[in-house]
Amino acid sequence: MTIAVSRSAPGDLAEGAETKLRRADAVAAVESLDIRGLQPGLNDLTVEADATVTLAAGAGDTPDAVATALAETFGVNDVAVTAVRAVPPDSADGAAVAGE
């Protein structure tokens, strides 16, 4: 994906990209973000990034649905989702675990 990061964003470039991605309604958390490229612009920097995120409820369960949900965020474009996987509930979150 590409993420537009304001030149006046606090922190470094990676923090700015992660903050922008976290603002997406489809994202519950950003697990990792790797910057792969950079294109300077007049008011912002466009970064090419690979990210692993935890999806918010309702973000979709297919790569196309997730890509569409992520691309609805201003400044997030060219989204390509390679995989969507379900993760079992974590008992530490208070979720019920089968067998308990």
Side-chain angles (χ1 to χ4, degrees):
M1 72 183 70
T2 61
I3 304 170
V5 179
S6 171
R7 289 182 179 266
S8 62
D12 63 20
L13 186 60
E15 290 170 337
E18 187 173 327
T19 297
K20 173 75 69 102
L21 190 55
R22 254 189 276 122
R23 290 182 185 152
D25 290 340
V27 175
V30 176
E31 296 177 22
S32 67
L33 185 128
D34 295 317
I35 294 177
R36 302 291 183 195
L38 173 67
Q39 180 68 38
L42 181 61
N43 296 317
D44 58 21
L45 301 167
T46 301
V47 297
E48 295 174 28
D50 290 337
T52 301
V53 301
T54 301
L55 297 173
D61 56 0
T62 66
D64 288 340
V66 173
T68 299
L70 289 171
E72 289 176 352
T73 304
F74 179 76
V76 177
N77 300 297
D78 305 321
V79 179
V81 176
T82 57
V84 176
R85 61 182 167 85
V87 178
D90 184 354
S91 62
D93 292 338
V97 177
E100 290 187 352

